[in-house]
Amino acid sequence: MDLKNKSIAVTGAAGFIGSNLVDHLLEMGADVVGIDNLFNGRLENLESALKSKQFRFYKGDIRDLNFLLEVTTNIDVLFHEAAFTSVPQSILMPESCNDINVKGVLNVLNAARKNDIEKVLFASSASVYGDTPVLPKREDMKREPKSPYGVSKMAGEAYMQVYYTVYGIKTTSLRYFNVFGPRQKDSPYSGVIAIWLGKILRNENLIIFGDGENSRDFTYVKDVIKANILAAEHDAKGEIMNVSCNNPISLTNLAKLMLKITDKQELKIEFADPRPGDILHSYGDISLAKKDIQFEPDYDQESGLKEYLTWYKNKYKVDLNIIQ
Ligand code: UD1
């Protein structure tokens, strides 16, 4: 399917990943409907999209089926990026996590069914694996989530598969591995890279939960957008596939790398208790995405970080020395 001239909906459109996707789809020439309740998303992220005649924005909640039914008429493809995204927050608020990530998925799929949307792409997560002993993690491994968040994403994937087999809606679930980049918020429930960038700018020490040996396959947002576009252009039969940069790094090494790139080696790395629900190692095998949708990441952690920091420096005019 060629996405140009298609009518596309993006949930979570004002959020970190959703807004990057909206901008890319508009550049490709698609008509885009953005949906967001603006709880976490920010209209600032859609500043450029809102100037486009090919973009319409609807403020509303994916937990409201009637709202979704109204705003998703005449849509060909829907990217479902709206989500409850934080592992520790899901431990504090499991019901909210379930309402947004499970009921929300069900509403999206029911809207797709009633409004004849051809294809739905779902933002799943590496957290469904939990601490499976084998690395890298492959899609045929058992899912053993360790947090309510992981459970909710596992349920979302299962609904995506069932709505293909039972109702014929073409679906693909992409298991994202720790996405980072422009527009990720610095908030206590955000990703570690955005949090540490905030600390570096305030000249605060970086805090690692645990011994620093935990590792993550931090993936630059542009590669995640690339995988979404490729998946939408290919046929979809309920597949689930990993999307990662295929190059994990330990938290200690990430902290050192961020301090080196920003020339802030005088800041210290402090250690605190491990966070409940955290996975130890997250490293994704991307052979399936390579084979099925010809996905190949363009960034590793260092090149992604440098591009992100440069974007941040230019956007917010902060005093940041980026060592190239
Ligand atoms: C992240 C995403 C989640 C996604 C998953 C996929 C966020 C908020 N979470 O979860 O949506 O589905 O990847 O792999 O984007 N840490 C510190 N110090 C800090 C903050 C965090 O050491 O100040 C540690 C955490 O304890 C954890 C690691 O960094 O070990 C990563 O944490 P985080 O960025 O919150 O991401 P995940 O929980 O892996």
Side-chain angles (χ1 to χ4, degrees):
M1 178 193 280
D2 184 2
L3 296 185
K4 192 168 182 282
N5 301 323
K6 291 283 177 192
S7 205
I8 295 177
V10 178
T11 67
F16 157 46
I17 300 174
S19 65
N20 279 291
L21 184 58
V22 165
D23 285 348
H24 191 90
L25 289 164
L26 289 170
E27 273 166 33
M28 290 176 74
D31 283 317
V32 182
V33 166
I35 297 164
D36 202 300
N37 63 7
L38 299 181
F39 282 13
N40 281 319
R42 293 172 291 184
L43 277 182
E44 178 198 322
N45 292 340
L46 294 172
E47 202 183 340
S48 128
L50 286 165
K51 292 182 190 140
S52 164
K53 289 200 179 68
Q54 280 169 272
F55 182 66
R56 273 171 300 148
F57 177 72
Y58 295 102
K59 180 171 179 276
D61 204 300
I62 55 163
R63 287 167 291 186
D64 179 351
L65 177 60
N66 289 330
F67 160 75
L68 273 181
L69 285 171
E70 270 171 39
V71 300
T72 59
T73 50
N74 301 316
I75 295 291
D76 303 306
V77 180
L78 184 146
F79 292 88
H80 182 39
E81 309 299 313
F84 187 112
T85 58
S86 161
V87 172
Q89 204 173 20
S90 80
I91 290 170
L92 299 172
M93 307 161 73
E95 288 92 352
S96 289
C97 178
N98 190 77
D99 283 348
I100 297 167
N101 286 1
V102 183
K103 187 71 200 306
V105 162
L106 202 52
N107 282 345
V108 162
L109 286 167
N110 283 330
R113 207 180 132 207
K114 297 229 168 68
N115 285 336
D116 289 323
I117 297 176
E118 199 181 325
K119 196 178 272 185
V120 177
L121 288 298
F122 171 54
S124 187
S125 162
S127 65
V128 301
Y129 289 111
D131 283 329
T132 46
V134 180
L135 292 171
K137 300 191 177 187
R138 281 194 331 266
E139 296 83 349
D140 55 7
M141 285 175 179
K142 201 172 157 214
R143 294 175 273 202
E144 295 183 80
K146 283 180 73 183
S147 63
Y149 171 77
V151 171
S152 73
K153 287 291 178 181
M154 185 171 92
E157 290 181 347
Y159 271 128
M160 289 287 151
Q161 289 185 309
V162 163
Y163 269 62
Y164 171 71
T165 50
V166 176
Y167 304 110
I169 299 172
K170 295 181 175 177
T171 61
T172 304
S173 297
L174 299 176
R175 281 187 186 154
Y176 300 166
F177 283 68
N178 293 73
V179 190
F180 72 98
R183 299 179 182 154
Q184 190 168 31
K185 262 206 260 185
D186 167 21
S187 83
Y189 293 118
S190 189
V192 64
I193 290 181
I195 292 175
W196 284 353
L197 173 58
K199 286 188 180 288
I200 287 170
L201 291 167
R202 296 188 299 271
N203 284 315
E204 292 171 13
N205 292 337
L206 308 187
I207 298 167
I208 291 183
F209 302 126
D211 62 6
E213 289 304 307
N214 286 13
S215 60
R216 293 287 185 275
D217 205 345
F218 292 98
T219 307
Y220 193 52
V221 65
K222 280 197 184 165
D223 281 329
V224 171
I225 303 308
K226 182 181 181 186
N228 270 281
I229 302 298
L230 287 168
E233 287 170 348
H234 280 75
D235 199 18
K237 295 180 176 157
E239 293 86 348
I240 295 174
M241 52 186 92
N242 291 339
V243 174
S244 81
C245 88
N246 202 222
N247 175 27
I249 184 171
S250 72
L251 288 178
T252 300
N253 285 339
L254 173 72
K256 286 184 183 160
L257 179 64
M258 288 185 72
L259 295 179
K260 186 181 107 197
I261 295 177
T262 54
D263 202 15
K264 289 280 183 101
Q265 271 142 322
E266 70 276 13
L267 296 180
K268 297 204 165 36
I269 300 171
E270 294 172 6
F271 293 87
D273 286 343
R275 235 174 39 178
D278 266 348
I279 289 170
L280 298 176
H281 302 290
S282 200
Y283 168 19
D285 183 325
I286 50 171
S287 342
L288 186 66
K290 279 187 184 173
K291 179 168 84 53
D292 279 9
I293 62 170
Q294 289 77 57
F295 169 67
E296 195 73 61
D298 293 324
Y299 292 83
D300 60 15
Q301 276 135 10
E302 186 158 346
S303 56
L305 270 172
K306 284 180 179 162
E307 189 171 302
Y308 172 34
L309 296 171
T310 306
W311 171 88
Y312 197 99
K313 181 181 164 127
N314 294 337
K315 167 107 183 137
Y316 297 107
K317 315 274 177 254
V318 290
D319 182 17
L320 197 61
N321 193 12
I322 302 165
I323 310 287
Q324 292 296 335

